[in-house]
Amino acid sequence: MDISKIAFLAFIALSGLCGLANATYKVGVGRADITGPPVEINFMGYANIKQVGRGIHTRVFARAFVVEDEKGNRVAFVSADAGMMGYGLKREVIKRLQARYGNLYHTDNVAISGTHTHGAPGGFLMHLLYDISILGFVPQTFEVMAQGLYLCIKRATDNLVDGRVFLSKTTVLNVNINRSPSSYLRNPEEERAQYEHDTDKTLTQLRFVDVENNLLGAFNWYAVHATSMNNTNRLVTSDNVGYAALLLEKEYNPNKMPGKGKFVGAFCSSNLGDVSPNIMGPKCSISGNECDLLTSRCPAGEGDCFASGPGKDMVESTQILGQRLADAALGLLNEQSQESTAREVTGDVRFIHQFVDMPNYNGTAYNPLSRKIDKIRGCQPAMGYSFAAGTTDGPGAFSFAQGTTTDNPMWNFVRDFIATPTQEDIKCHEPKPILLATGRATFPYEWQPKIVSDQLLKIGDVIIAAVPCEFTTMAGRRLRNQIRAAASAAGGLDTEVIIAGLTNIYTSYTVTPEEYQAQRYEAASTIFGPHTHSIYMDVFERLTKALMRNETVEPGPSPPYMNDVMLSLNTGVLFDGHPINTDFGYVKTQPNKEYGINDTVKVTYISGNPRNNLFTEKTYFTVERKINEDRWKVAYTDASWETKMIWHRTNTILGFSELEIYWNISPQTLPGVYRIRHSGEYKYILGGKYPYEGLSHSFTVNED
């Protein structure tokens, strides 16, 4: 029995619950592969048309938990290694769940959140602005994600057992910084004084155990962008939070390959809107001098304003921050009973959901700028000038600067060629100068959502607020406080509120009204105008009160169905070919005969296009260790952190391509004899896809 189980059993015993613990819920966890086409498809996140996939560093996964109370009330929550979530995807997942389970799962009790990795294939959001840099909708990405999201919930459902839920929290430093500190300083001084930091440093964990106190899973929420890997990355990656999840699962699934094993560990997004993992801060890329605080610009000749992480490169930074997050989560799971911050979560399960038409929302709310109750209204979606400036995690193009509050006739001309904002739109969004009037753009279909999904999941005294965008630090803090106060007023319950960001549908950012005035990137990307946050505060307060009183609410207007109008400029694989005197799977570059610790093995194969078969839940290659003359054991796959797969098209006309496989031999590697096997499919010029395999020579890994 490992030390974590001993510690946890001790905690139970000291709580007077030794022996078999009484179940308070049925709980289940599940995981599934959602890795889309790893090559020739643009990644979602940086909106960089040059960021086209060339292979895999780590596979990406969806992780789910399901909780049901004794009355049969059930909720499902999914954290997916994806940039964000689109409602078209959620609708398809619900459709597949209902085909199997009837009405057990539906829009109201399923929440699907993205981790916000910027290193996974795009083309699944079904709104033109978010898919345009991907060159449109990508059916292959959509399908593998829909099936994986469905499967992880199905597996969690199939794994349901009597169990219990525990909540714990810890502070994690040196993982995040505020990338818009000048905007944060716009918030009232007395409010800022309530918090030690200008980002949230608390990691909140829900731990799931069975009645014998066996650990089933742990879901962790922490506010940080998954942008340690910058916009020069071309390999599929789950980034910092995804690496943390791999480390956590490796600890409790020993001797299992990544993505395998019963224990499920997730790191989920929260109010990360203005939160960067690049903790060394922004510097001018050529001179190394400080960037301008307000505009994030550098003087001429000093380069772009880039923020960097703590490592020597982006890969090491990802590794360092992922390790810190994993260590924090492991610390909560392993803490000694007398020091434990964990408390059991008890109480019923509830859920509530409502679609809200944001541009047509009218109401009243407290205005922190005027410090009185004012009328609030939503605007037609629009992006401001500072949106095009990008962020210090990934600067934009042209001459745009953050903090821009004036327009430009030339860019207005370009804007109006696409869609012209009305004078009412311009007035509604002030002080944001409109660069893209996305709410007025309808060709070839809707550019950004107008209807949003607002949802609450309640497990005992824990409320998960599923928000459809990226809330900034203070915007999230205010929402948590509002929900907590509403729950207390309506139900007399002191609650723990978790913000789950980028959930169900994606509508860019939400900043506080004060931060909106600064018009940095996050404010320019707050698409429904200066009252966006106030509307969410109003809606979630009302939903919380209804939730606590067991009242129903109107479902609201459903988002439009757009599956049948999707367009794509992405072409499929036409055919694959290989040079004369070779075949698919031929090893062009064999490994050396011997390697040592920290060496890197490289093998090159003549290959087909990886888009021919995504090898979902499988692998494009295996690193195998020799056990005896008759048996080899898989030691690493394409989901392993230690490996990389890079694909090259070597002759476009003839369809030739090569696949390079790299294996970095870590200090934990067992000495012995190894080989590398590659599996793929090629597309024949006359039609059909056919499997092939390539096997390298064996080689020896020596001890130091």
Side-chain angles (χ1 to χ4, degrees), residues 89 105 111 160 180 189 263 413 519 552 555 557 559 628 630 633 669:
L89 258 180
Y105 294 109
L160 277 173
S180 287
E189 182 178 359
F263 173 84
F413 175 80
Q519 276 304 297
T552 59
N628 54 47
D630 301 317
K633 181 179 180 181
T669 303

Side-chain angles (χ1 to χ4, degrees), residues 198-436:
D198 61 1
T199 61
D200 285 342
K201 307 290 186 181
T202 300
L203 182 145
T204 303
Q205 180 183 94
L206 286 182
R207 176 192 316 178
F208 303 94
V209 301
D210 65 17
V211 290
E212 295 179 339
N213 303 313
N214 295 306
L215 187 60
L216 305 176
F219 280 62
N220 306 271
W221 285 264
Y222 189 80
V224 66
H225 257 75
T227 50
S228 289
M229 299 296 292
N230 64 39
N231 61 17
T232 65
N233 170 54
R234 300 292 186 271
L235 302 182
V236 174
T237 174
S238 53
D239 213 284
N240 44 44
V241 292
Y243 179 57
L246 292 178
L247 290 173
L248 190 61
E249 291 181 335
K250 183 178 181 180
E251 182 73 17
Y252 291 100
N253 295 320
N255 303 316
K256 296 290 185 180
M257 291 298 104
K260 307 297 181 182
K262 293 182 179 180
F263 173 84
V264 176
F267 287 80
C268 319
S269 63
S270 192
N271 51 322
L272 51 67
D274 54 355
V275 186
S276 170
N278 295 307
I279 60 176
M280 304 311 291
K283 299 285 191 300
C284 297
S285 58
I286 296 176
S287 68
N289 294 328
E290 299 284 340
C291 310
D292 180 76
L293 182 65
L294 298 178
T295 64
S296 296
R297 295 289 299 276
C298 293
E302 294 194 22
D304 292 325
C305 180
F306 264 107
S308 60
K312 66 179 183 293
D313 56 32
M314 60 182 177
V315 175
E316 186 178 65
S317 293
T318 301
Q319 192 171 18
I320 290 171
L321 297 185
Q323 186 70 61
R324 289 173 182 173
L325 288 170
D327 287 346
L330 285 166
L332 291 175
L333 294 172
N334 293 337
E335 62 190 358
Q336 297 299 316
S337 56
Q338 62 268 28
E339 301 171 355
S340 177
T341 62
R343 65 172 181 81
E344 186 169 5
V345 177
T346 60
D348 62 357
V349 170
R350 302 182 193 180
F351 48 82
I352 196 166
H353 176 278
Q354 188 172 58
F355 292 116
V356 176
D357 184 349
M358 292 293 280
N360 292 311
Y361 193 92
N362 289 279
T364 58
Y366 175 75
N367 184 341
L369 296 174
S370 64
R371 302 202 172 192
K372 62 180 183 179
I373 301 296
D374 281 344
K375 292 182 179 180
I376 57 172
R377 54 171 295 201
C379 308
Q380 288 291 329
M383 304 295 279
Y385 272 56
S386 296
F387 151 75
T391 72
T392 55
D393 292 334
F398 304 106
S399 58
F400 292 100
Q402 295 202 57
T404 300
T405 55
T406 57
D407 58 8
N408 176 290
M410 182 190 75
W411 289 115
N412 284 354
F413 175 80
V414 175
R415 173 199 69 194
D416 293 348
F417 181 77
I418 299 170
T420 304
T422 66
Q423 286 302 310
E424 182 182 1
D425 295 338
I426 294 171
K427 179 70 174 176
C428 189
H429 279 276
E430 288 181 348
K432 177 202 293 181
I434 295 175
L435 179 64
L436 291 173

Side-chain angles (χ1 to χ4, degrees), residues 530-576:
H531 298 307
T532 302
H533 184 256
S534 299
I535 293 173
Y536 282 126
M537 293 280 279
D538 192 35
V539 170
F540 275 99
E541 179 183 26
R542 177 168 45 79
L543 289 179
T544 303
K545 290 179 177 178
L547 177 76
M548 300 306 297
R549 294 166 179 161
N550 262 328
E551 298 172 347
T552 59
V553 295
E554 292 295 322
S558 294
Y561 181 86
M562 300 194 296
N563 298 46
D564 53 353
V565 296
M566 292 293 102
L567 298 178
S568 178
L569 298 178
N570 291 286
T571 58
V573 180
L574 298 179
F575 65 91
D576 292 300

Side-chain angles (χ1 to χ4, degrees), residues 600-631:
T600 300
V601 182
K602 176 186 176 182
V603 183
T604 305
Y605 297 86
I606 302 299
S607 75
N609 192 311
R611 286 200 287 157
N612 293 327
N613 186 332
L614 301 184
F615 285 86
T616 306
E617 304 269 313
K618 300 177 184 177
T619 180
Y620 286 103
F621 65 88
T622 53
V623 179
E624 301 171 2
R625 181 173 180 269
K626 189 174 183 179
I627 305 302
N628 54 47
E629 290 302 319
D630 301 317
R631 183 177 168 224

Side-chain angles (χ1 to χ4, degrees), residues 90-108:
K90 179 177 176 179
R91 178 157 40 201
E92 180 62 27
V93 172
I94 297 298
K95 176 182 175 182
R96 297 182 188 196
L97 287 169
Q98 291 186 341
R100 182 174 183 87
Y101 299 109
N103 201 41
L104 186 63
Y105 294 109
H106 43 81
T107 298
D108 295 3

Side-chain angles (χ1 to χ4, degrees), residues 32-37 88-89 92-93 95-96 121-126 137-151 563 614 616:
D33 185 4
I34 56 169
T35 307
L89 258 180
E92 180 62 27
V93 172
K95 176 182 175 182
R96 297 182 188 196
F124 57 89
L125 287 177
M126 293 189 170
F137 182 68
V138 182
Q140 198 174 27
T141 305
F142 184 90
E143 173 56 31
V144 74
M145 290 185 68
Q147 184 64 11
L149 292 166
Y150 158 75
L151 275 178
N563 298 46
L614 301 184
T616 306

